[in-house]
Amino acid sequence: MVAGGRRSLSRRALLVGAGAAALVAAGTVPWPAGATGAPDPAALRARIRASAAQPYTGFAEASGRLGLPDLPQLGQAIALFTGTTRIRVFHAGPQRWRVDELTAAGERDIYHLDGVESSWDFGSQRLTRIVGTTSVRLPRAADLLPPDLARRILAAAPDDPVEALPDRRVAGRAAAGIRVTPADPDTTVAHVDVWADATSGLPLRVEITGRADPGRPVLTSELTSVDLTAPADDVLVPTVPPGATAAEVPAADLAGALRVLGPSAPPGELAGRGRLPRFPDLPGIGVYGTGLGGFVLVPVTGRIAAQAVDGAAAAGGVPVTVPTGRAVAVSTPLLSVVIRAGGRRGALLVGTVSPAVLARAVTELAGAAR
Amino acid sequence: MITTELVLMLRRRRVWLCWALLCLLPTVVAVLLATTRLAPPPGRGGAFLSAVLSDGQLFPAAALALVLPVFLPITVAIVSGDAIAGEASAGTLRYLLVRPVGRLRLLLAKLVSVAAFTLLAVVLVTVTSYVVGVLAFGFGPDAELGGSGITSLSGATLTPLQLAGRTAGTVGYLALCMLTLGAVGIFFSTLTDSPLAAALGVLAVVVTSAALQPLDAAEAVRTFLPTQHWLAWIDLFRDPPLLDAVRTGVEVQLGWILVAFGAAWANFTTKDVTS
């Protein structure tokens, strides 16, 4: 009787164990991708770059592990690259969209309607209409959406070699993949993988892998559900709920703030990379290098630079020897940063190039300032 | 048998004590908030807590978020851990099984009883916190303007009907999440004669799951953790409501219930009962 009982227990336990294993397998084993009918990689890249007009509604999750240090005033922007961000998007076209950054305590939404941007923050119960535009702003959740991220990367690296990746299933759709491998030997980016809906070219998943750890992406963004139809008009129009505040603020006047600094004109070349004709309205700002290996020079006040150098050094930054002043380099799996302080003005160099390139650039910069 | 178990549950003093304590915590928080008018800053504290000062109708959501991480699991652990082990420790289990009732049927009756407890717990917290919230904070600015809606997380105003529907969805979802713990508790309850050990086992599952959740190294198993989807109901208060996370949460919870109840069945139906 006892032996029979044990046999039955064993059979039933096995049955339950097999059921549990089947449930786990159903949740983890990827579905076959199915046929995508994708064009060749170069044609798919062109199709992806031309997909901005494709309307869609969906939900995305972006996950980053860039290991950036916490910086005052930049907490929200840095969190986008160091944690998981839940994003909902309603995209009717390049001039009509809404992107919600979803948090456990509320949400922060951006509405873009025919050139006018408004933001809704549930926490502060405030709808803010942003008047005017600025050529540079801090990163926001909308920048991490696979379509925006993929198009921005492919636009920055139009000539880098591209190869096909195996198709995979993303958001319930068969997606065709391409891998862009930067030709620049000094970039921190090993490769960028993009999977897109083959017919519309809408990117559904993006993986950015750094050279420091080629086995695991440092930034992954995926639409986990998507509907390729235009959203209803009413979800694209912000409303001011009772009790909430409505405000208008001018777009950040970065040019004015920079003019106060009185920065010198950025050199035409740094670390062997020519300056691109970007942001001519922003004095002192210089963008150097092409493709996925570039960096930007940002002038800062001497006081802020000194604080940043001290903070970076305390956080494990590597000192860089410069002709005048002092400088510290910080490297993360994807971004390298060098800060130089000394005198009334300092400089911040940040980009997707190796710290050695930025160290060379800051040395040239300090030599020129002497 | 199901009716008998339900009646027995409703007659237990500890069950009513659990429900009373669950309703007491949000009430204390409401009184403190109403007297001090000091809500957590936006984006901090429990979900919805920063917004309840301006609209008491949001307090049920804030109250559910308050009791969800610790108090609700503790009460479910106590009640479910007692399901079989309580009978065994009281020496009534063998007499219960003498009756011409199958062990599977007894387990099912216990599961239904625990499900009724969790559903009533969530409903009672929702109803009392709505009453307390409206008494302490009023109906919100929309009422002053002649309306009766509340502001969704996305800024759009929800009508009373929409609010009722979404609150009902939240109640059902959280009851299901807690039933997962209930099923695990019943399984542990078949393994031991000690209700306390079974309840502690449930809490160990909760703590382990919550500890694994933020770990990058646990990424592969994260979606299967029972606590991972507990806050998905917040998406029901967005506009339009977002169902992706809730759907995944329901699938995972149903999977846990199936496996835990199956394990309880596999163990209990072949067990030599001597207590």
Side-chain angles (χ1 to χ4, degrees), chain A residues 73-115:
Chain A
Q73 315 289 327
L74 298 175
Q76 268 185 27
I78 285 176
L80 295 173
F81 301 100
T82 55
T84 299
T85 310
R86 301 176 72 224
I87 313 163
R88 178 157 66 162
V89 54
F90 303 92
H91 185 94
Q95 291 302 318
R96 287 177 66 79
W97 52 261
R98 165 184 158 188
V99 174
D100 304 346
E101 182 186 352
L102 312 178
T103 67
E107 62 184 68
R108 289 183 286 271
D109 307 346
I110 302 280
Y111 292 81
H112 187 105
L113 276 177
D114 304 322

Side-chain angles (χ1 to χ4, degrees), chain A residues 262-270 275 282-286 288 297 299 345 365 368:
Chain A
S264 44
E269 188 179 294
L270 274 178
R275 180 157 62 91
L282 299 176
I285 298 261
Y288 297 87
L297 163 67
R345 289 191 295 264
L365 204 61

Side-chain angles (χ1 to χ4, degrees), chain A residues 40-132:
Chain A
D40 66 84
L44 183 58
R45 167 157 66 180
R47 198 174 285 182
I48 289 171
R49 291 189 61 187
S51 66
Q54 171 64 46
Y56 71 102
T57 301
F59 174 74
E61 276 194 355
S63 178
R65 48 180 198 95
L66 261 64
L68 297 171
D70 284 335
L71 293 173
Q73 315 289 327
L74 298 175
Q76 268 185 27
I78 285 176
L80 295 173
F81 301 100
T82 55
T84 299
T85 310
R86 301 176 72 224
I87 313 163
R88 178 157 66 162
V89 54
F90 303 92
H91 185 94
Q95 291 302 318
R96 287 177 66 79
W97 52 261
R98 165 184 158 188
V99 174
D100 304 346
E101 182 186 352
L102 312 178
T103 67
E107 62 184 68
R108 289 183 286 271
D109 307 346
I110 302 280
Y111 292 81
H112 187 105
L113 276 177
D114 304 322
V116 178
E117 276 198 3
S118 306
S119 69
W120 160 255
D121 185 350
F122 175 77
S124 56
Q125 291 282 300
R126 185 181 169 98
L127 181 72
T128 308
R129 186 167 180 266
I130 298 146
V131 181

Side-chain angles (χ1 to χ4, degrees), chain B:
Chain B
M1 171 156 263
I2 288 172
T3 315
T4 313
E5 284 298 328
L6 287 174
V7 170
L8 272 175
M9 180 195 71
L10 290 172
R11 279 188 187 160
R12 287 206 172 109
R13 195 179 297 166
R14 93 181 60 161
V15 165
W16 287 95
L17 193 65
C18 283
W19 284 337
L21 287 173
L22 278 174
C23 296
L24 186 65
L25 173 71
T27 308
V28 170
V29 172
V31 170
L32 288 173
L33 283 177
T35 49
T36 63
R37 309 300 290 179
L38 284 174
R44 300 209 183 148
F48 297 99
L49 212 50
S50 63
V52 297
L53 284 188
S54 57
D55 195 337
Q57 294 181 94
L58 275 173
F59 195 62
L64 288 171
L66 276 173
V67 298
L68 179 61
V70 179
F71 281 78
L72 211 44
I74 287 177
T75 55
V76 174
I78 290 171
V79 172
S80 62
D82 190 56
I84 302 295
E87 304 279 5
S89 66
T92 51
L93 186 57
R94 57 183 159 169
Y95 300 111
L96 199 60
L97 294 176
V98 166
R99 292 189 297 174
V101 174
R103 293 189 182 192
L104 176 62
R105 209 166 151 207
L106 175 66
L107 274 180
L108 272 173
K110 293 288 184 188
L111 185 71
V112 170
S113 166
V114 171
F117 169 80
T118 56
L119 185 62
L120 281 169
V122 181
V123 168
L124 284 172
V125 170
T126 306
V127 172
T128 53
S129 56
Y130 183 83
V131 174
V132 169
V134 167
L135 287 175
F137 310 110
F139 281 98
D142 202 26
E144 291 161 19
L145 303 171
S148 54
I150 68 155
T151 305
S152 68
L153 296 177
S154 312
T157 304
L158 300 180
T159 64
L161 194 64
Q162 285 174 320
L163 177 62
R166 293 177 195 208
T167 305
T170 301
V171 167
Y173 181 73
L174 286 182
L176 184 71
C177 290
M178 290 303 113
L179 186 57
T180 293
L181 299 185
V184 172
I186 288 175
F187 168 53
F188 287 156
S189 193
T190 64
L191 295 175
T192 172
D193 287 354
S194 163
L196 181 64
L200 288 176
V202 176
L203 294 181
V205 169
V206 174
V207 172
T208 307
S209 173
L212 290 178
Q213 233 173 283
L215 283 183
D216 283 345
E219 193 181 341
V221 297
R222 191 174 292 145
T223 197
F224 300 110
L225 297 175
T227 57
Q228 169 69 14
H229 309 278
W230 278 6
L231 291 176
W233 60 272
I234 291 174
D235 288 354
L236 296 175
F237 289 86
R238 308 188 190 280
D239 193 67
L242 182 62
L243 300 176
D244 297 43
V246 173
R247 197 178 299 123
T248 308
V250 167
E251 288 167 4
V252 170
Q253 305 301 334
L254 286 175
W256 269 91
I257 292 168
L258 209 61
V259 172
F261 188 76
W265 162 76
N267 184 48
F268 187 59
T269 51
T270 55
K271 186 179 177 179
D272 291 332
V273 174
T274 54
S275 303

Side-chain angles (χ1 to χ4, degrees), chain A residues 211-230:
Chain A
R211 286 194 169 145
D213 182 9
R216 194 175 161 212
V218 284
L219 186 68
T220 303
S221 180
E222 177 177 319
L223 277 162
T224 55
S225 67
V226 68
D227 178 2
L228 298 187
T229 54

Side-chain angles (χ1 to χ4, degrees), chain A residues 172-186:
Chain A
R173 291 176 169 272
I178 55 169
R179 168 168 291 180
V180 180
T181 307
D184 188 334
D186 288 323

